[in-house]
Each structure stands twice: as structure tokens, then as C-alpha cells.
Amino acid sequence: MHVLGKIAVAGLALVVLGGTAYGYVNLRALDGVTRDNVIDEEGGGAKPGEQPADGSLDILLVGRDARSDNQGNPLPPEMLRELRAGANGDDLTDTLIVLRIPNGTKEVKAFSIPRDSYVSMAGGKGKINGAFGRAKAAEARRLRTAGETDKAKINQGALTAGRRATRQAVEDLTGVKIDHFAEVNLLSFYEISKAVGGVDVCLKKATKDENSGANFQAGPQRVSGADALAFVRQRDGLPGTDFARVRRQQVFLAGLARQVLSAGTLADPGKLSDLIDAVKRSVVLDGSWNLLDFVGQMRGVSGGGIQFATIPVVNIDYRYDPANNPRATAVQVDPAAVKAFAASLIGGAPPAAPTAPPASAPAAAVTVDVSNAGPKEGLAGRVAGVLREKGFTSRATGNSDTRRTSLVRFGPALAERGAEVAKLLGGLTTQQSASVPAGHIEVVLGTVYAGPGAAGGGGTGPGGVSDDPITSNGVVCVD
């Protein structure tokens, strides 16, 4: 069975945040953590004491589908059995989360990138979780062709290339300059979750899944080790599959933050020692990350100071190769909308300003009417607010007949402005219609709309997955 994205990757970063409470002495024990040259030396990586030019210290957390330790040694069969993972794995980054820490604040904004996001990357377009394996294989071939015969050198060079390609793909999609990098795999997640004594989570209903090994009751519960891995691995039988799993990962990370920063963990020398040992055995960091400096910068972050979100998406069932493989699907994303979303988390402006309106249709003369064709309460109002922030005159016009996909309608004179609105909202389908009143653009938000303004709590996001806000301040029940 192909093991899907299951790593709650922030273990290390949250351990570091927890370090703010127990000081530099204990953190020095992390000097033995594995390092790799993931961040460009020139112009890359935040230097000690610096505040990054883009306004935020940005950390990429990667969960890799690997059944080996940091030295590339296969995990023993008995460990794989306990993890409920098969012996065969592939080089996929099944979890990608970016932590944005705005300059001068103690808040952490975390956002997930769905593993099947279809993006441009080295070697051509593909799912973002394949960037690692594609670059790893290419570098291994290059080294062998160049005459390298040392297997250890080939493996390390290939791993470095895979990590750097993943970092680059995330930067290209989000517009975020990654300052630091942390990677965990099956073993590290297993050990970190056990070291903190488990993590509190909550499920809306009981669930059982043979593929992941998930077998949980409904309601609040504490999970660790193999059970924690099953909790964040499960996708089968859940609404929205991968999107429900992303929510599981975010809820688990929020709980891990609370647990690491709790007095029960920080005041227990045994737990701290186990936690540090788990990180040293199984986590990979970029070579430029000065942990002691980072702890000093983050002093004062509380367990409730981490907020989670997911990038906006256009289509969760995108048929990207209808000619050759019509059944193959991915998650369609609009890079411009993703960049605007990432910038908004720290109060920044989108990378590019909207295009100027044509002379025949000045911005002041155009009104965007936003209606909601799905069940999410307040969606039309939130999206209308997003458009007002972009300079449009917009208003929510209530509900419309139910439809799955979203649509932007306009008359011929407003084709350019209508296309602009569609792009700002994540690349929505457009349609010219003579029935739209002059001077108006109509936006109809379908049930699967997941662009700017989609998150708001109490409704549903992509695939019918709840979008109740997740923070590290309390436990949110999920599917």
C-alpha cells in the first residue's frame, strides 16, 4: 500500500519554541542534530538577530514518506510493523507546512500546502510532493554519470538536491522566501509524539481504516506513537480525503504545541531529554539555522500563539492530463492567489497590483455582486470584503441556486475587469452574459469554492471539510 501523507512535521520547530521556557543549556544538546545544505548560502537564510527583508521569518516543515533513518538505513521490519507501514516507500513530501513569524511579533501563522497541488517546478509541471523524488533521482543519475561510485556520497547528494528542489517549489508557488528548513520522517514523528507523552485530539465520530491503522473512538482522546501516526495518516473514509487529513495534521500540531509548552513537559527532565534525543535521532535541519538565536527571538511565544490555515485552491478534482490519463487528478491552484494569501498572513500586499481598468469601465463605475451557491455561512460577505480590499466596489447579494463550481459573469464591456476578478479569487471560470446589468460583474460562489475569503469558521471548505479555525489555544474536533 502506498503510504500517504502522515507526518505532523512541526515537532522540531515546536520543540524549539518550547525551548524558550527551559533555556539555552538544554538546547545545546541539539547541536548533534543532522544538518543539510538546503538554504542558499548567498542571500538565503536569516542571519542571527536579523529581521528578514520580506517581513517574516519563514520556516518550511517537511514530512517525507521515508522508511529510513537520517543515515539512509532502512527501518527494521519490527519497527515498520509497529508503525503499520509497508516496507516500500517512495520519495514524496506528503506534508508541507510553512510557518510565518512576522518581524517584531510573537504570533506564528502556519499554512499547509496540499500534497497534490499541481505546480510548475524543475523538470516540468507536476504535483508538488513529487519535486523531492524528481530532483533526487536526477542528481543520483548525474553523480553516477560523472563517475561517482561512493554510494553514501551519491545518496547524500541526491537527498540534498531533493530537499532544495522542494524548498524551491514552495518558494515559487507561495512567493515566500524560506529562511529555514526542518524535515521529519516516520521514525521521527513516532518518537517525538511518544516523548511528549501524547497529544490531545478530538474526533467528531468514531473511525476505523485498515490502510492507515486508524481505529479511534469519537470525542476527546490522547494519541502517541503508532496511534498518532495513524491519526494523521488516515484519508480513506473521510470527507475531502487529503483535505481532511490536512486538518488532522493541523489539529495534531496545535496539540503538540500545547503539550511541548506545558508545564508538564517543560518541568519534566525525563520528557525533555527524550524529546531532545528523538529530535537528534531523526530530524534534519538546514545548515544555517542557529537554534539558540532563534530561541532568543521567539522568547515569549505562548501555546496559543500558533494559527493554522490552508492555501486557497481552485479545483480539488483537476484533470490535468485528459488526453493521456483522463482519470488522473490533482489539486489546481492559482499561484497569484496563493501569493496574495501568504502575504496577507503578515499584513503584506500581494506581489502584484491589479491591472488598471480599461478606460471604458473605470473602477468606480463597476459593482461586483457576490452571491453564495453553497452552504457556507457568511461566504459572500467575506469574499465581497476581499474584493473591496483590492479596490472594487462590491456587495454581498445573498444566496443563489446551489451549484458546485464557482462562476464570474459579466457583459462584453467588462470582460477585462471580469477576468481580473476571476483571477483574484483563485482563477474562477468566467462567462460573458447579456443578462448581467450594465456596470455590474456577478460572482457566484459554488460549494467547492476555496479561494480568498473561504475560511471563516462554521462552514465547509474544499471537499466539504469543516473550516473551523484551528489554533494552538484549544482542541478543535475534526472528522
Side-chain angles (χ1 to χ4, degrees), residues 139 160 254 376 389 448:
E139 180 64 9
T160 299
K376 188 180 295 185
E389 291 175 357
V448 297

Side-chain angles (χ1 to χ4, degrees), residues 368 370 379-389 392 394-396 445:
V368 183
V370 185
L379 177 61
R382 290 196 300 275
V383 172
V386 169
L387 292 171
R388 283 194 293 273
E389 291 175 357
F392 286 89
S394 60
R395 61 180 184 175
L445 303 171

Side-chain angles (χ1 to χ4, degrees), residues 51-348:
Q51 300 210 331
D54 66 355
S56 176
L57 183 70
D58 298 304
I59 302 168
L60 175 59
L61 307 171
V62 172
R64 190 160 67 88
D65 189 5
R67 293 147 177 84
S68 58
D69 61 21
N70 281 358
Q71 288 71 47
N73 302 310
L75 298 180
E78 58 272 20
M79 174 61 72
L80 291 176
R81 283 194 296 271
E82 186 172 359
L83 295 176
R84 304 159 190 159
N88 297 319
D90 23 48
D91 291 313
L92 298 174
T93 50
D94 280 343
T95 303
L96 295 167
I97 296 178
V98 176
L99 299 182
R100 304 215 75 185
I101 307 170
N103 292 344
T105 75
K106 303 302 180 185
E107 289 187 338
V108 179
K109 304 293 182 66
F111 66 87
S112 299
I113 301 171
R115 65 180 221 126
D116 286 343
S117 299
Y118 198 70
V119 302
S120 297
M121 55 187 175
K125 287 189 174 182
K127 297 179 182 180
I128 196 169
N129 70 333
F132 182 95
R134 183 185 290 185
K136 178 172 178 277
E139 180 64 9
R141 287 194 300 269
R142 188 193 70 79
L143 290 171
R144 293 190 188 99
T145 301
E148 182 60 68
T149 58
D150 188 313
K151 291 183 178 180
K153 289 183 179 179
I154 292 173
N155 183 62
Q156 183 55 57
L159 287 172
T160 299
R163 290 163 182 151
R164 290 175 67 87
T166 298
R167 185 214 78 217
Q168 189 64 58
V170 169
E171 289 185 343
D172 291 344
L173 173 64
T174 66
V176 171
K177 177 63 179 176
I178 298 300
D179 299 301
H180 294 302
F181 174 97
E183 174 191 294
V184 300
N185 57 21
L186 288 169
L187 179 63
S188 48
F189 174 75
Y190 170 88
E191 292 192 336
I192 288 171
S193 64
K194 289 188 71 173
V196 299
V199 172
D200 292 323
V201 298
C202 180
L203 288 176
K204 293 179 179 179
K205 59 183 178 181
T207 182
K208 188 172 184 178
D209 171 49
E210 183 177 346
N211 287 339
S212 64
N215 186 4
F216 300 109
Q217 62 186 5
Q221 54 206 286
R222 177 166 289 197
V223 295
S224 67
D227 285 339
L229 189 59
F231 179 84
V232 294
R233 278 180 61 199
Q234 184 183 1
R235 72 190 291 270
D236 294 338
L238 301 180
T241 58
D242 277 340
F243 286 90
R245 185 173 53 188
V246 165
R247 295 275 295 176
R248 289 268 191 104
Q249 294 166 356
Q250 293 174 346
V251 162
F252 188 89
L253 294 183
L256 183 58
R258 288 190 303 275
Q259 189 68 7
V260 169
L261 295 170
S262 71
T265 299
L266 299 177
D268 187 328
K271 283 186 178 181
L272 289 180
S273 177
D274 289 345
L275 194 54
I276 290 172
D277 287 345
V279 170
K280 290 170 64 177
R281 281 195 299 268
S282 54
V283 173
V284 178
L285 292 181
D286 69 87
S288 65
W289 199 347
N290 184 319
L291 295 182
L292 297 183
D293 178 70
F294 178 65
V295 167
Q297 288 178 297
M298 294 309 298
R299 191 174 300 278
V301 169
S302 67
I306 305 176
Q307 302 173 27
F308 295 85
T310 302
I311 64 168
V313 303
V314 177
N315 184 359
I316 65 173
D317 191 32
Y318 176 49
R319 309 289 169 141
Y320 59 90
D321 190 14
N324 300 314
N325 192 353
R327 299 184 64 184
T329 64
V331 174
Q332 185 181 15
V333 294
D334 174 40
V338 173
K339 289 179 174 65
F341 164 81
S344 72
L345 295 180
I346 59 169

